[in-house]
Amino acid sequence: MTPFFNIDERIEKASNEALKKCSKQFEKIERITEYNQLKVQSAFIEYGISESHFAPSTGYGYGDRGREVLDKVWARVFGAEDALVRHNFTCGTHTLATALFGVLRPGDKMLCVTGTPYDTIHNVIGISGSGMGSLKDFGVEYAEVPLKDERLDYEAIENAIDDTVTMVYIQRSRGYELRPSLLIDEIEKVVKIAKAKKPDVIVMVDNCYGEFVQTKEPTEVGADLIAGSLIKNAGGGIAQTGGYIAGRSDLVEKCAYRLTTPGLGKEVGATLGLNRELFMGLFHAPHAVGEALKSAVYISALFNSFGYDTTPAYDAERGDIVQSLGLENPDSLVAFCQGVQSGSPIDSFLSPEPWDMPGYDSKVVMAAGAFTLGSTIELSADAPIREPYYAWIQGGLNFHSAKICAMLAAQKMLERGLLK
Ligand SMILES: *Cc1c(COP(=O)(O)O)cnc(C)c1O
């Protein structure tokens, strides 16, 4: 029993039982973590990373060796020809938008094959909003193939890829849906179908929440372009902001022209002393993802033992770090998030309340006791207050820290007479 937190004996007991159930998954996660750690480490060694790569540049940032080598190391790790890793990307959405605007041209067509994409991408594509300069405003067409029973509909995908399709777009993570995340083999299958049907089609993957969850990345199974956020998996909890794009070098170059300007591309961009933490974040990322995965598996096992629906199940294969819990009613969602927050290293004294968030059609309650604002590789939980009353949990830089937060969440529900 921990001397530092007040946890009911019944929860302690359930926690110990849940841990036992997790052992097989934990072993699997350890093996993946080790593989990915060595993959990253060998890339650092290959490129001879040293103190000199951490030197800050200012102004135009010409000839910043650290920035150039960071791109190379990143490309090696992700099995890509080139990469664009920058603190200047403000978030994942910005990074994905840069990639989309970078490679798509008027008259092109983007085909999303994983149903409707993540909410914040809608304005980028032009599915919603107007007058903001979406892809649609610039004459880029869009179509999507819905999922079938929550899985990829390979036949419909094959049929939808015709001469007019320029890009096949895949979202690896489930985002805030209840569908399973994609496994790397499924992504590979889409790549094969797409390339067989139209060899020059660009396959792009939204890789958010997917990095280092399995031993391969989409670019290692034929995807042409991937993008993600550095305050999720790939920044290892150390990067304070930023994003990355990786893939075919001609495409990455186009993305660089979009991020800066045509002509300048990758040649400019002061790093201001941030190279060190971007290198260190990548170095730490496989381990951080492993801890986040263990946290998700444990939370799934614990809440399943209380009788709640948990997806994925604790023993399921995972393609991302996201865990959802069906907590069945609004009071439980609030109690859960308040319990998580109360155990967080930062802002533990705050008590989250549901509020109207821009872009959501219901109130949302969030727990986020993180060192980096909005970081979701750190333990975070959020729940729209609407049926079917699911909470989404992700991250956990450190399993033991996430574990006590989950126990405190159960404790808070117990104290309010809500725990099943
Ligand atoms: C988080 C996320 C994004 C957008 O990232 P932000 O950093 O929140 O802008 C896009 N797609 C998926 C699947 C995500 O999980």
Side-chain angles (χ1 to χ4, degrees):
M1 283 252 263
T2 166
F4 304 108
F5 293 89
N6 216 347
I7 302 285
D8 189 276
E9 233 173 83
R10 280 165 292 177
I11 293 173
E12 287 273 5
K13 208 166 150 251
S15 168
N16 289 335
E17 290 300 314
L19 264 187
K20 277 187 212 152
K21 283 200 219 161
C22 296
S23 62
K24 235 173 128 182
Q25 285 302 316
F26 280 19
E27 274 174 35
K28 228 173 129 185
I29 292 166
E30 283 288 340
R31 284 199 297 273
I32 294 170
T33 302
E34 181 171 12
Y35 180 91
N36 285 327
Q37 187 65 50
L38 303 193
K39 189 197 244 183
V40 168
Q41 208 150 317
S42 62
F44 274 60
I45 293 164
E46 181 181 340
Y47 284 100
I49 305 310
S50 76
E51 174 84 21
S52 64
H53 294 116
F54 305 155
S57 62
T58 58
Y60 296 112
Y62 290 141
D64 186 314
R65 281 183 58 230
R67 189 188 67 216
E68 288 166 12
V69 175
L70 179 65
D71 287 344
K72 292 205 168 90
V73 169
W74 207 279
R76 172 52 48 96
V77 168
F78 284 78
E81 289 174 7
D82 199 3
L84 181 67
V85 189
R86 296 292 183 277
H87 73 269
N88 312 76
F89 288 118
T90 56
C91 60
T93 306
H94 179 201
T95 314
L96 289 158
T98 303
L100 291 168
F101 278 99
V103 304
L104 293 170
R105 297 289 176 267
D108 282 355
K109 182 155 140 194
M110 165 185 179
L111 177 73
C112 181
V113 298
T114 41
T116 306
Y118 194 79
D119 282 39
T120 56
I121 310 299
H122 296 188
N123 287 329
V124 175
I125 296 170
I127 300 173
S128 60
S130 67
M132 290 186 277
S134 66
L135 289 166
K136 190 177 169 195
D137 289 345
F138 284 94
V140 175
E141 283 182 61
Y142 172 77
E144 65 191 35
V145 180
L147 296 171
K148 191 168 131 194
D149 302 326
E150 302 191 324
R151 308 225 73 117
L152 292 167
D153 186 346
Y154 295 112
E155 209 182 303
I157 293 170
E158 185 167 10
N159 290 334
I161 300 170
D162 57 21
D163 277 352
T164 66
V165 174
T166 325
M167 174 190 280
V168 169
Y169 183 88
I170 301 169
Q171 183 181 309
R172 183 175 180 183
S173 168
R174 51 202 287 216
Y176 295 108
E177 289 174 59
L178 288 169
R179 72 152 164 108
S181 50
L182 297 195
L183 300 175
I184 209 75
D185 291 346
E186 296 173 290
I187 293 173
E188 184 169 18
K189 198 163 166 189
V190 175
V191 170
K192 287 205 169 118
I193 290 171
K195 299 282 178 184
K197 196 83 190 282
K198 190 168 186 261
D200 66 342
V201 81
I202 298 165
V203 178
M204 170 169 167
V205 179
D206 170 354
N207 208 27
C208 283
Y209 286 139
E211 300 91 351
F212 304 122
V213 170
Q214 298 189 270
T215 52
K216 279 186 183 170
E217 298 298 331
T219 25
E220 291 174 89
V221 296
D224 299 295
L225 202 61
I226 58 173
S229 163
L230 296 189
I231 63 167
K232 293 180 178 175
N233 302 18
I238 290 170
Q240 294 178 69
T241 185
Y244 76 91
I245 294 170
R248 244 168 59 193
S249 53
D250 60 323
L251 300 176
V252 171
E253 187 179 358
K254 286 180 173 176
C255 296
Y257 290 144
R258 173 71 196 195
L259 172 65
T260 65
T261 78
L264 297 183
K266 294 179 101 184
E267 304 300 317
V268 293
T271 54
L272 310 170
L274 293 171
N275 284 342
R276 181 179 171 277
E277 69 181 47
L278 298 191
F279 275 112
M280 197 169 168
L282 176 62
F283 172 75
H284 195 58
H287 182 74
V289 170
E291 295 293 288
L293 283 170
K294 280 190 205 165
S295 306
V297 167
Y298 165 79
I299 291 169
S300 183
L302 180 65
F303 279 79
N304 180 250
S305 77
F306 295 134
Y308 294 98
D309 177 50
T310 64
T311 49
Y314 69 87
D315 54 356
E317 200 171 355
R318 287 166 190 260
D320 68 12
I321 62 166
V322 181
Q323 179 65 48
S324 62
L325 303 181
L327 295 178
E328 302 180 5
N329 56 67
D331 289 345
S332 294
L333 293 178
V334 174
F336 181 91
C337 289
Q338 291 181 349
V340 168
Q341 185 80 31
S342 74
S344 300
I346 309 300
D347 292 337
S348 59
F349 49 87
L350 298 178
S351 183
E353 294 289 342
W355 62 299
D356 288 301
M357 258 182 63
Y360 285 84
D361 52 12
S362 59
K363 286 188 191 293
V364 180
V365 59
M366 290 188 169
F371 289 86
T372 294
L373 196 69
S375 166
T376 46
I377 184 62
E378 300 184 54
L379 184 70
S380 48
D382 40 80
I385 308 290
R386 63 166 184 237
E387 288 191 42
Y389 303 118
Y390 273 76
W392 274 262
I393 297 116
Q394 57 273 312
L397 286 181
N398 171 315
F399 171 67
H400 301 292
S401 167
K403 175 168 172 269
I404 191 65
C405 288
M407 291 170 81
L408 287 165
Q411 177 73 21
K412 191 72 92 186
M413 288 169 68
L414 183 75
E415 283 167 9
R416 295 189 186 161
L418 297 162
L419 192 67
K420 292 217 290 194

